[in-house]
Every structure is written in structure tokens, then in C-alpha cells.
Amino acid sequence: ALYARYGHRFMRESAAGRIGTGMLLAMLGLAILWLVQLPFGLADLWWQRRHGVSFARYWEWIIDNWLGLGGEFLFICLALLIVMGLAGLLRDLWWIPGGAVFVGVATLFAFLLPYLIPSQEELRDPVLLADADDLAREQGLEKSPPVRVQLVRGETTAPNAEAAGLGPSERIILWDTLLDGRFGDDEIRFVLAHELGHVSRNHIWKSVGWYALFAFPGAFLIARATRRRGGMREPEAVPLSLLVLPLQNVIVRHLEREADWIALETTEDPAAARKLFRRFTTTALADPSPPTWSYVLSETHPTIAQRIALSQAWEERRTGR
């Protein structure tokens, strides 16, 4: 209600022009959303600091979180610049080329993401590099993409890894907390196989493809939802459009489950997978079986219990039981 009251007044008094005002309203909406989420994020950080998972200072976390919001805002502004320009020309039919704009921005973000991740250095372990190339060939790749190590040990004890980028920017990123001696070679090898599974099965491209599948009907829904506010050609419609966001957690969880299966097929080591997943519960204090509402709304991976069950199912299938 506060945003609607003062945002409308700001829109009438702004001298930034139609598109500039829309961007300013988008920034205001994101800032309000950030402030609403801030207490929950700080509570989560307090819990992680209490249990030794995070060492981040509260003010550092706030600044980093705000800077992350700034990066998100830049991509939203790019989309708004193009969409509001199209809406000015095409009126209610802007959503037809607008869907393509959303896909293009998503593809650009996927390409640039590896360059936005801080504190990376090359992996210098020759054994792990050789393992990565061997696993890549097992999965049908000529060689592994570059493997980087992200230096996070001063901020957290939690382990993590990811496959990121498209084409020339493609890489595997391991947190240095995976390489500090708490995880065995077989567990790290399984992590590499999992991340290479994302690469060999083109999961990032598939994520963009799924996004494209929903982008056009999503753009149409935004056009319909903002029609009473004058459509996306009017700055007043921008706050409402920000509320229409696609839910992709189900798709992402499916891709993560597929990457686990590929890693099992590649390493043929379900025992290492189970050790790895169980160690996540002690090193990152991950809930092995979170509440259903939390899983559906926020989890991007299968639960620890589901991942252990998958490794057991793979082993039973392999042994013929």
C-alpha cells in the first residue's frame, strides 16, 4: 500500500521521462522487496554464525546482498528499456517480441554469470584436473571445461560447486571448502562428475529453453495483468509486472536429479555419493528432509534423503535386485 501510494505520486512528479520513470519505479520496488527480506536473511546469517557455518560480518553481508541486488537490477532495467520501448510502439501486442527479449536477457545473463562470481583462481591440483578430463570423456566430451576454485573459506565452511556459463564462458567452479581435507577424493570426484553432467547434458541451455517455453505466455500474462494500468508503455504498470515471475524450481530439481544419475553412471560409486550427501548434513547443516512447503517453494535441489535414495536405487538396479 505504501509503495502504491508514494510510487504513484513519484511517477507523476518525476522528470525522468516514461522509460526512465519505469526504471526508477522498478528500482524502488526491488528495494522494498529487499527490505522486506532483509530481517529473514539476517536471522539466517545469525543461525549460520552461531553454528560456525558462516563467518561473514553482518554489515559485509548487507553490502554484498545489496550489490547482488544491483546486478539483478541492471538486467531488469535492460529488459524494461526494451519492453517499454516496444510497448510504446506496439501497444498491447508488445508481448510477442517481448518474449524474445526476455529469452535474450536470460541467455546473456547465463553467459556473463561466470565473470560475475568473485574470488576465482585456477585449480592447480594435477590429479583432480586429470580426473575431470577422464570423467568428461566418459560423458562424451572431448575434455573438461576449465575448472576454477572460488575462495570462500574466510566467509563460510559450507561446501558447494556449480557449472556455469555458455560457450567460451563455460566452467566448473569448486568452492575451496570442498578441498580443505574434509572430503575424500572419491567424494570430490563425484562432485566433478555431477557438475560435468550439467555440461555434457547441456543443462544450462535446457534451462534457457525451458525459460523460453514460459517466456511468451508469461509476457502475455504480464501484458494482460498490466492492461488496466495502461499496459507496459506506462511506468505505473512496472511494479505489477515485477510480481509476475516464472516458477522454475521443479525444472531445476529435475536437472539436478539427472546430474546425480549421470554422476552415478560415470563414477559407478554409489557409496561415495552417499558419503558426500550425508557429509552435507554435517558440514553445511543441511536439512536432510525439509518441510514440504519449504521444499516446493525454495529448494533448487532434491532433498538429501531423496539423493541418498537415488544412489540406493541406482545400486539396486546395477546389481539386479
Side-chain angles (χ1 to χ4, degrees), residues 69-241:
L69 180 69
E72 181 180 351
F73 174 69
L74 289 176
F75 282 94
I76 289 176
C77 274
L78 176 61
L80 281 175
L81 173 65
I82 300 173
V83 164
M84 293 187 73
L86 289 171
L89 294 172
L90 303 177
R91 301 287 174 168
D92 291 339
L93 296 178
W94 70 264
W95 63 271
I96 300 174
V101 169
F102 293 149
V103 176
V105 171
T107 306
L108 177 63
F109 181 77
F111 176 80
L112 292 178
L113 178 60
Y115 304 120
L116 303 177
I117 298 173
S119 305
Q120 296 181 51
E121 64 178 29
E122 292 184 7
L123 176 66
R124 295 184 175 88
D125 187 324
V127 176
L128 285 181
L129 289 172
D131 279 345
D133 283 334
D134 289 342
L135 292 167
R137 284 189 286 270
E138 285 283 332
Q139 296 184 18
L141 300 170
E142 290 185 7
K143 64 177 182 177
S144 170
V147 181
R148 301 284 188 265
V149 178
Q150 187 178 3
L151 307 179
V152 300
R153 195 177 303 175
E155 304 170 13
T156 181
T157 60
N160 202 0
E162 64 180 308
L166 294 170
S169 70
E170 194 171 67
R171 65 188 64 180
I172 304 295
I173 301 174
L174 306 176
W175 284 14
D176 60 351
T177 46
L178 269 171
L179 310 175
D180 60 6
R182 293 178 297 166
F183 294 86
D185 293 342
D186 55 345
E187 294 168 272
I188 298 173
R189 194 168 186 268
F190 187 88
V191 171
L192 283 171
H194 173 97
E195 301 306 335
L196 285 166
H198 288 307
V199 176
S200 65
R201 296 304 184 271
N202 297 309
H203 281 175
I204 297 178
W205 279 114
K206 287 180 180 178
S207 296
V208 173
W210 277 106
Y211 184 81
L213 185 64
F214 290 103
F216 288 94
F220 174 75
L221 289 176
I222 292 174
R224 297 294 296 179
T226 59
R227 191 173 183 178
R228 295 182 63 183
R229 296 281 185 176
M232 283 301 295
R233 63 184 176 274
E234 298 296 334
E236 190 177 359
V238 170
L240 184 59
S241 72

Side-chain angles (χ1 to χ4, degrees), residues 10 26 40 60 63 65 68 75 91 188 209 219 240 243 252 300 303:
F10 173 79
F40 301 98
E60 290 176 337
I63 291 175
N65 199 261
F75 282 94
R91 301 287 174 168
I188 298 173
L240 184 59
L243 300 177
V252 175
T300 58
T303 68

